[in-house]
Amino acid sequence: MIQTGLIQSAHNDLVTDVAYDFYGLRLATCSIDQRIKVWQVDESNGNWNVEDDWKAHDATVSKLSWAHPEFGTILASASFDRTVKIWEQTSFASAADSQPNGAGAGSPQAASGGSSRWVERAVLVDARGTVRAVEFAPHHFGLKLATVSSDNHVRIYECLEQSSLATWQLSEEVDVSTLPSVSLSSSYSVAFATPTQTSATLEGASATLVAQALQQSQNPTTQGRPGLGNREADGGWCISWCKERYWGEIIAAGCGISGAIKIIQLSPSRRPTTLLTLDPSPSPVGLPAEAATSLASDGDTPTPFAITSVAWAPSCGRSYHLIATGGRDGHVRIWRVKPAEEELDVEGEGGDLKWSASVVADFDHHKSAVGRVEWNITGTVLSSAGNDGRVRLWKATIGNVWRPAGSIGVEQSEDTQDADVNMSENAIAE
Amino acid sequence: MNSTDHHLNLFPPLIQAGHTKQFIQSGKTLLSAQSPLNQSYAVFPSARNDVRSIKSSGVEEQPIFFASTETSPSSERRLFIGDTSIIFAALQNLTNTAQSRGQEWLHSQETHNVIRKLTLDYVNFTRECWIHTSQTSVQSQSSPQFSGDHYRSLYTCLALFAVLYVPEYGYEDAPVGDDLMEWLNVHFIEPSTEEGDHLSGLDRPWEDETFWPYLVRVTLRGLSKAATFFLATLSSHPSDNLRRLAQQLSPLLQSQPHLQSFEAERDFAYASHRWKDKVKALRIELDSVSESDRHDGIENWWDRLSDIVGILEGRSEVIRRVCEDLGADWREISVSWGVFADARLRRQDLPEVVSQILDDMPQDPTNLEDMVHAALFSGDPAKALSHAAQLDPWLAAHMADLMQALSLIERDANEDSGLNIRDFYVLGYAQYLHADPALWRITVAYMFSCGETGVRSADEVLMHVPLKLRFVGSITHGQGEQSNAENIKSGDLAGVVKDINATCYEYQREEVRRTICRIAAQTFVQEKEYGLALSYSSSAEDWTGLGRVVDRVLQEYITAGPEQFTRYVSGIAPSLQALRMQSGAQGVFIHRLMFAVRYAEFHQRLGNRDLQDAAWDLVSMFQDGLAPKSWWAVLLCDSQQLLQHDAALLFPYASACILLQRLEEVIARTDQGSGDEYLRVLISKFGSGGTTEALHALQCVRLALAKYFSRCTMIGTGGKQILERKFIAAV
């Protein structure tokens, strides 16, 4: 493991998200300073240079997502100002023809010498709370994106006019907290029913709802930093699309402090339904007993916690899906999710197609809240970042057991001689 | 070198040693993002999402760190990776053939010989690389990425693998001792040449303290020439006994039978037996030396000579003790066992012997090379692979590949992961290669050999290979790439896109190829290279995408005006011909493309003042149903100047009627509220306040038409047509 580069100062305030483009040659960054910057790597020396820099929102920009390049150079930004904005990079000439909304305002583009500009194409204003995450759908589903916000809603937007990117239709709006859990969905969903493992969680779910309400009443919102917008203790946290085309549009969403992730199927002909709930409590499935210990379990009622990050691995030909979660309980979990198989000998079950899941890895190495989990492009390396100030990597062994595979920190090395890393500092001309 | 369990602290540090708590309490945390390009990560301090207020960070810097789990291969390493991938491909060919020819063929002599040859190729390549790296690192001060010693360890492992597991066809069941001794002598040279040089320079070498250990060691290693040379120096030793015994020992050392010299193993066994008898005779003579003559004042020579004879006799306790005294390791004991203690030791019996030796003298767990050797000696190929993977993923992948071809490892997939042992290590190596994006061709070649999971992983890698089509505004690129880009733009399918296309064809990854073509088309649209965009869209058979390209071209008319528009269309017109020939092409989009081309022709004629033809074009676009409804209003506005042309009446009466018809439809439908459908393009042409302007413009067209009809009546051109019209209406 080696350090390969450094941007000394990327923004004027804490950076909230960094997103690589499809090829990893550019980087979009956003910050509490309400700006977005786009950087390009100089492949000859590995330095990152600012290409564009503009004020994007009226509050903290929380998350960025690049669209698949077959749709153009498009970026979506989510913000605590309750909006999601769609940006397109246009070549300099055509930017002169169209109105560079926002992008022009006071940004030092001329100074950075960029010949391209980002133009605001659309503003999605449906959220009634801070928007915490945005993610474009896999490209085979068209130009679509999902957002999740502190109002508990996952919203799916579809671009109606790809050439202008101006019209986005809100095609689905789902309250994740009230979306019937799998066991309830049978009333209108014939095709999908509760996997037996998770049906027991219903009791627990309603219990946590009460706990959630209690916690909210006990914790009056303290004075936040101006401009940050709402920083609710719960609400929707995270989303991740299923990358596979075969199963249709499916998204994993984490919401509230139930500690569970809902796997939601979206279909044009039917209301969104929960296929499966990934809930590590009260009885984790397929987990060795000693690994199942919760950080703060007190008797029978586990302390409610939020899953703040979820990542659906590219399946790359595997017969199952891998979904990683990271949460306030300090655990990184990897779920192995088995899609419903069409069984030939359908009897008694009424032909229900069942998705099932089991925890195949559960790590508490971070010993503190896990802020992000992410997979590599082949779904073989998981990275997790936690409040212990470490980024940890995880890989499967030949026996398919997940194991730590290194870590990265920002702590001063005890052995200072370690610092002879092959590193090129990146001077930034602001 | 491998990344397992490594911790990296980034520089400059954000947290003082042991002060992580303060960092977190200040409302900060650490986040990261994985690069799709290679095995690297962007790591940055961020705001905790569970804290309501963050202490203002003020003037602090907000760094983003970049770290990679692997070092990008240096040129020497790349060369090694590239060269050995050719051998890998050759073996891949062989196993693919085996799939069609059946497993028996894979175990035939012919195939075995090929596998053996390829194994030896790997051995030789690692050897070359070791020599090369050792030399260059001496010449230049800059240390190469992997030391010569690293390649030396790969070389010893592969060579041992070849000796133990890939013998010549038919020799699987032959004694292995001599081969192993050769391996040991090549890779772990003892005693050193310097020691020999030093001793040979002495008049009475036996007085030197290194003399006897040296002599014992060369005997143990079967180096009979060196042994006889120094035994000869004893001819001037004061002891008669020693002089005599040394003289007898020399021919014995030289005459030790070696398997290679015999046609049949039986002959070898017989010769060995007879030779052992001679050694026994020497022992008897040695024992008869009186105690008083066993010491020469410097050393007890008798004990030393007894050790040498003990080795030749194959006494295990002597071999072990001598090895321990000499500081030799388990390898040397194991190998000498196969030469002296049990000259007929076979490969399959080796693990048992080795396990006993390892019990007393275990391998060094901190030395991966040692661990690989021990696993290979112990007949545990799977274990050897797991150590090899830590030593260098290259070694594990290539050894696993050979092992599967030789049926040494389980071919069935792990139930959970869906991968078998070989695929696991080959994919591990491919992942290591992915650290260097320039190696994508080799990366996918390895991935494509690993079943469904490998194929789909390769798809991902292929799709993420940067196409390098965009050069506007990009930072300095190499000269080669620049001209490459020129080639692409001049219409040649060249460079990376061509390579990826070829790779997709080779492995039949049509889905991937189409996606890449769609991306290329989109990039060219952004670059306003509409002709190329069209050909990529059609190559991807992406007809909606093709339609969007045409829309963008039409958009150019609105934003940039007719001249620019005509220029862009001249770029796409040739594609129209090609597309018409293509049977799969879908009509509606081709239609729109045809409209764009015809509309551009119209503007060209207009520009050239070829008004008569322009008028004909305009009407025929309506007549042929080419013009989309949203463009009708634009076309009608274009007709205005032609209608008002004073010199001649450019439209036949019927044509003018068509114009009127369309105009009426546009106006009527707009009144009914479908204005958006009919006026969209015209409105956007006028820009802000477009609707009123557009309606006004249409009124002007109506006036022009009215005037035109009145001119027709006056001049009387319309008579015939009017009759016809009435006739048609009657019908």
Side-chain angles (χ1 to χ4, degrees):
Chain A
M1 199 108 70
I2 52 152
Q3 183 166 357
T4 53
L6 173 70
I7 295 175
Q8 253 172 359
S9 196
H11 282 267
N12 292 326
D13 208 331
L14 282 170
V15 176
T16 45
D17 192 24
V18 162
Y20 281 100
D21 78 339
F22 187 75
Y23 296 113
L25 297 175
R26 303 163 103 202
L27 205 57
T29 63
C30 60
S31 160
I32 294 177
D33 72 7
Q34 308 178 358
R35 304 181 77 80
I36 295 176
K37 292 189 187 187
V38 175
W39 310 71
Q40 187 165 35
V41 70
D42 180 346
E43 286 181 87
S44 63
N45 57 18
N47 285 347
W48 291 88
N49 302 296
V50 188
E51 227 181 27
D52 287 294
D53 169 10
W54 70 97
K55 181 180 184 299
H57 286 272
D58 297 324
T60 295
V61 187
S62 54
K63 206 105 168 60
L64 297 170
S65 176
W66 293 85
H68 191 275
E70 76 169 70
F71 303 111
T73 312
I74 303 165
L75 200 56
S77 61
S79 167
F80 287 180
D81 69 7
R82 302 186 171 196
T83 66
V84 169
K85 291 186 180 179
I86 311 293
W87 308 89
E88 186 184 25
Q89 190 196 32
T90 56
S91 59
F92 201 66
S94 76
D97 304 323
S98 49
Q99 316 90 312
N101 300 327
S107 64
Q109 278 151 358
S112 70
S115 58
S116 58
R117 277 191 172 200
W118 288 83
V119 179
E120 181 188 291
R121 294 298 191 198
V123 186
L124 313 176
V125 294
D126 305 276
R128 291 178 299 275
T130 60
V131 188
R132 288 201 176 114
V134 59
E135 189 180 304
F136 278 102
H139 67 110
H140 33 251
F141 298 130
L143 188 52
K144 286 186 180 179
L145 61 81
T147 70
V148 68
S149 43
S150 59
D151 61 5
N152 284 331
H153 280 73
V154 165
R155 293 181 177 83
I156 311 290
Y157 293 89
E158 187 173 358
C159 180
L160 295 184
E161 240 188 303
Q162 275 182 36
S163 43
S164 70
L165 300 175
T167 328
W168 291 75
Q169 187 185 49
L170 178 62
S171 58
E172 294 289 358
E173 192 170 24
V174 192
D175 186 333
V176 181
S177 61
T178 60
L179 185 73
S181 217
V182 271
S183 49
L184 295 176
S185 66
S186 55
S187 56
Y188 56 87
S189 165
V190 186
F192 300 95
T194 325
T196 42
Q197 297 98 309
T198 54
S199 57
T201 64
L202 184 63
E203 287 289 309
S206 47
T208 52
L209 277 177
V210 176
Q212 186 180 324
L214 277 173
Q215 170 153 344
Q216 273 178 321
S217 64
Q218 281 163 0
N219 290 338
T221 322
T222 48
Q223 190 56 48
R225 194 163 155 201
L228 280 180
N230 295 335
R231 295 183 70 86
E232 293 87 341
D234 52 304
W237 285 109
C238 51
I239 40 174
S240 184
W241 286 93
C242 170
K243 276 79 190 161
E244 189 71 36
R245 181 186 212 157
Y246 182 81
W247 304 103
E249 295 175 35
I250 298 176
I251 195 165
C255 175
I257 48 172
S258 67
I261 290 286
K262 283 182 182 171
I263 309 291
I264 303 165
Q265 181 165 57
L266 309 161
S267 138
S269 58
R270 212 177 35 229
R271 292 194 46 191
T273 49
T274 314
L275 290 179
L276 184 65
T277 307
L278 305 180
D279 190 347
S281 63
S283 55
V285 189
L287 193 69
E290 70 273 11
T293 49
S294 173
L295 260 192
S297 61
D298 209 8
D300 288 330
T301 45
T303 314
F305 63 90
I307 294 287
T308 50
S309 182
V310 61
W312 199 311
S315 68
C316 281
R318 284 177 283 264
S319 61
Y320 52 88
H321 296 278
L322 289 173
I323 298 177
T325 65
R328 299 261 173 87
D329 63 337
H331 284 247
V332 173
R333 290 188 185 81
I334 301 174
W335 293 83
R336 179 194 164 104
V337 177
K338 203 84 175 128
E341 278 176 73
E342 280 180 75
E343 284 165 46
L344 292 174
D345 52 339
V346 197
E347 252 177 75
E349 299 287 314
D352 287 358
L353 297 176
K354 292 178 180 177
W355 284 57
S356 59
S358 58
V359 176
V360 291
D362 187 338
F363 300 109
D364 63 354
H365 293 54
H366 284 293
K367 307 278 180 209
S368 55
V370 179
R372 184 167 295 183
V373 287
E374 194 186 7
W375 293 97
N376 68 344
I377 57 164
T378 50
T380 50
V381 183
L382 175 70
S383 62
S384 65
N387 280 359
D388 59 344
R390 294 254 165 124
V391 174
R392 296 178 188 276
L393 308 183
W394 315 92
K395 272 188 204 176
T397 62
I398 187 155
N400 213 31
V401 178
W402 290 86
R403 289 254 184 269
S407 58
I408 306 170
V410 287
E411 203 174 317
Q412 196 166 29
S413 296
E414 312 222 327
D415 179 13
T416 41
Q417 255 144 347
D418 246 13
D420 62 336
V421 282
N422 173 26
M423 185 202 69
S424 50
E425 289 198 8
N426 217 357
I428 302 133
E430 282 283 343
Chain B
M1 61 149 297
N2 216 22
S3 55
T4 21
D5 250 10
H6 279 190
H7 179 72
L8 169 74
N9 271 322
L10 298 163
F11 188 85
L14 297 179
I15 306 174
Q16 280 187 310
H19 287 68
T20 311
K21 275 229 171 82
Q22 275 103 311
F23 177 74
I24 302 307
Q25 277 163 1
S26 71
K28 285 183 236 167
T29 185
L30 204 63
L31 291 180
S32 69
Q34 290 204 20
S35 168
L37 182 69
N38 48 30
Q39 307 289 321
S40 69
Y41 299 82
V43 177
F44 56 100
S46 187
R48 282 173 63 177
N49 59 12
D50 53 348
V51 194
R52 276 149 218 262
S53 66
I54 297 164
K55 286 181 197 161
S56 180
S57 42
V59 289
E60 272 177 52
E61 289 190 331
Q62 307 298 338
I64 299 175
F65 304 93
F66 297 89
S68 174
T69 55
E70 306 286 354
T71 318
S72 186
S74 59
S75 58
E76 122 272 337
R77 177 75 171 172
R78 270 195 207 185
L79 202 64
F80 176 68
I81 288 168
D83 286 347
T84 49
S85 75
I86 297 166
I87 309 175
F88 175 83
L91 184 58
Q92 208 46 49
N93 264 339
L94 186 79
T95 47
N96 287 342
T97 321
Q99 261 165 12
S100 56
R101 292 235 229 154
Q103 289 296 315
E104 292 98 61
W105 182 78
L106 193 60
H107 296 132
S108 71
Q109 175 168 3
E110 178 195 355
T111 323
H112 184 89
N113 287 343
V114 178
I115 295 176
R116 180 171 156 82
K117 191 209 159 271
L118 294 174
T119 311
L120 297 180
D121 283 349
Y122 283 130
V123 174
N124 291 332
F125 257 105
T126 47
R127 182 171 164 271
E128 295 288 312
C129 202
W130 163 48
I131 294 168
H132 175 77
T133 337
S134 314
Q135 282 169 353
T136 46
S137 64
V138 171
Q139 281 163 9
S140 66
Q141 287 302 311
S142 64
S143 62
Q145 191 170 20
F146 291 97
S147 61
D149 197 54
H150 179 77
Y151 290 106
R152 187 200 51 73
S153 63
L154 301 185
Y155 175 35
T156 65
C157 291
L158 273 169
L160 179 63
F161 171 70
V163 168
L164 289 176
Y165 297 91
V166 208
E168 264 181 74
Y169 188 78
Y171 278 74
E172 298 85 0
D173 210 20
V176 73
D178 284 339
D179 290 346
L180 280 175
M181 186 57 88
E182 190 189 338
W183 171 79
L184 191 69
N185 280 331
V186 166
H187 297 278
F188 300 93
I189 297 169
E190 287 290 348
S192 70
T193 329
E194 291 78 27
E195 284 177 72
D197 290 348
H198 164 70
L199 288 172
S200 63
L202 300 174
D203 279 345
R204 288 200 290 256
W206 60 85
E207 289 179 357
D208 194 281
E209 56 174 1
T210 62
F211 178 76
W212 285 105
Y214 183 87
L215 203 55
V216 172
R217 195 82 185 246
V218 291
T219 309
L220 194 67
R221 290 299 193 94
L223 303 168
S224 55
K225 272 188 189 154
T228 50
F229 176 82
F230 284 102
L231 283 173
T233 64
L234 289 171
S235 62
S236 50
H237 193 272
S239 165
D240 291 342
N241 275 324
L242 179 53
R243 285 204 302 273
R244 179 172 46 84
L245 288 167
Q247 215 172 354
Q248 289 177 7
L249 183 57
S250 274
L252 265 185
L253 286 174
Q254 282 171 312
S255 64
Q256 185 181 8
H258 293 287
L259 183 67
Q260 284 170 312
S261 341
F262 295 89
E263 289 283 310
E265 200 203 329
R266 212 182 39 167
D267 299 341
F268 166 68
Y270 183 63
S272 294
H273 196 71
R274 287 207 1 214
W275 180 79
K276 275 272 161 78
D277 286 345
K278 289 184 197 164
V279 177
K280 272 180 198 158
L282 183 65
R283 163 65 69 189
I284 292 167
E285 243 182 279
L286 188 65
D287 286 344
S288 69
V289 175
S290 69
E291 289 282 345
S292 57
D293 194 27
R294 292 184 179 184
H295 209 283
D296 61 5
I298 299 157
E299 182 90 43
N300 186 333
W301 60 261
W302 190 89
D303 278 353
R304 300 299 194 148
L305 205 60
S306 168
D307 282 349
I308 293 176
V309 176
I311 293 168
L312 299 185
E313 285 173 303
R315 293 180 191 223
S316 58
E317 74 284 356
V318 175
I319 293 175
R320 278 190 191 214
R321 183 173 44 77
V322 161
C323 283
E324 266 174 56
D325 291 349
L326 291 170
D329 60 9
W330 64 271
R331 278 177 291 229
E332 199 146 349
I333 305 179
S334 310
V335 172
S336 21
W337 190 284
V339 174
F340 300 106
D342 181 5
R344 299 183 69 181
L345 183 73
R346 274 144 168 78
R347 287 175 172 81
Q348 65 264 34
D349 302 326
L350 191 61
E352 202 187 319
V353 172
V354 170
S355 84
Q356 282 172 14
I357 293 168
L358 286 173
D359 280 346
D360 293 343
M361 204 187 261
Q363 66 272 46
D364 176 4
T366 61
N367 182 339
L368 290 167
E369 181 189 359
D370 209 26
M371 298 301 280
V372 175
H373 289 172
L376 289 173
F377 266 100
S378 308
D380 193 343
K383 202 177 190 178
L385 289 178
S386 85
H387 294 303
Q390 284 174 275
L391 179 62
D392 189 334
W394 178 91
L395 181 63
H398 292 88
M399 221 152 65
D401 193 33
L402 289 166
M403 283 176 178
Q404 175 148 312
L406 294 161
S407 304
L408 294 171
I409 45 174
E410 190 71 50
R411 194 176 284 268
D412 293 336
N414 174 304
E415 237 175 75
D416 284 339
S417 67
L419 296 175
N420 63 23
I421 298 174
R422 175 204 172 273
D423 291 357
F424 177 82
Y425 288 112
V426 172
L427 283 177
Y429 176 59
Q431 189 167 312
Y432 158 78
L433 291 177
H434 187 240
D436 185 353
L439 295 175
W440 66 266
R441 291 171 193 80
I442 300 179
T443 308
V444 299
Y446 280 88
M447 285 179 161
F448 275 127
S449 76
C450 298
E452 178 68 8
T453 307
V455 168
R456 300 288 298 276
S457 302
D459 284 355
E460 291 296 324
V461 172
L462 271 181
M463 274 193 282
H464 285 88
V465 175
L467 301 179
K468 315 246 163 163
L469 300 168
R470 185 196 299 275
F471 285 86
V472 186
S474 66
I475 303 159
T476 44
H477 286 271
Q479 199 63 42
E481 287 181 28
Q482 204 79 53
S483 63
N484 190 355
E486 289 308 310
N487 281 343
I488 295 174
K489 294 208 165 168
S490 64
D492 289 348
L493 200 63
V496 179
V497 192
K498 187 181 177 187
D499 278 2
I500 300 177
N501 253 288
T503 309
C504 290
Y505 277 125
E506 187 185 341
Y507 295 102
Q508 297 165 8
R509 308 310 298 159
E510 181 60 13
E511 259 319 282
V512 179
R513 196 193 65 78
R514 287 187 183 191
T515 303
I516 288 159
C517 284
R518 281 201 298 272
I519 296 171
Q522 177 61 238
T523 313
F524 284 126
V525 165
Q526 285 171 283
E527 299 285 302
K528 296 183 189 285
E529 296 283 348
Y530 297 112
L532 287 169
L534 270 189
S535 49
Y536 276 102
S537 284
S538 69
S539 180
E541 296 189 24
D542 175 17
W543 308 123
T544 37
L546 191 140
R548 278 196 296 276
V549 176
V550 180
D551 284 346
R552 287 297 273 261
V553 177
L554 290 170
Q555 189 74 23
E556 291 292 345
Y557 170 75
I558 298 163
T559 52
E563 278 116 74
Q564 284 281 7
F565 170 70
T566 318
R567 250 211 356 238
Y568 287 128
V569 171
S570 68
I572 63 170
S575 320
L576 181 59
Q577 283 303 331
L579 282 168
R580 275 178 160 165
M581 309 292 283
Q582 212 170 323
S583 54
Q586 275 185 18
V588 54
F589 303 112
I590 298 297
H591 234 63
R592 207 177 304 168
L593 177 58
M594 280 162 67
F595 168 69
V597 172
R598 290 276 287 278
Y599 191 54
E601 276 170 10
F602 162 73
H603 274 288
Q604 203 158 15
R605 297 208 162 109
L606 212 55
N608 297 339
R609 308 301 298 162
D610 184 1
L611 299 180
Q612 187 63 60
D613 284 345
W616 187 86
D617 271 345
L618 188 69
V619 174
S620 68
M621 277 187 280
F622 279 123
Q623 272 179 319
D624 299 348
L626 272 181
K629 281 185 179 137
S630 54
W631 281 81
W632 284 6
V634 178
L635 260 61
L636 289 166
C637 288
D638 287 332
S639 73
Q640 190 179 342
Q641 56 168 306
L642 294 171
L643 291 167
Q644 289 167 343
H645 185 66
D646 287 334
L649 288 171
L650 299 171
F651 296 94
Y653 185 81
S655 301
C657 285
I658 288 171
L659 292 180
L660 181 64
Q661 229 174 2
R662 298 294 149 101
L663 180 68
E664 288 306 316
E665 184 175 338
V666 172
I667 290 171
R669 296 303 292 268
T670 305
D671 286 345
Q672 290 163 16
S674 305
D676 191 46
E677 189 187 344
Y678 283 84
L679 297 183
R680 195 160 36 98
V681 180
L682 188 62
I683 289 170
S684 60
K685 188 167 178 262
F686 285 125
S688 52
T691 319
T692 6
E693 266 188 74
L695 287 171
H696 178 74
L698 287 177
Q699 290 307 326
C700 294
V701 177
R702 183 181 251 174
L703 182 65
L705 259 174
K707 283 182 179 164
Y708 188 85
F709 277 119
S710 65
R711 277 164 71 200
C712 287
T713 330
M714 280 163 60
I715 298 166
T717 53
K720 190 166 172 255
Q721 276 89 349
I722 288 168
L723 282 177
E724 270 179 16
R725 200 162 62 108
K726 280 180 176 164
F727 176 73
I728 290 165
V731 173

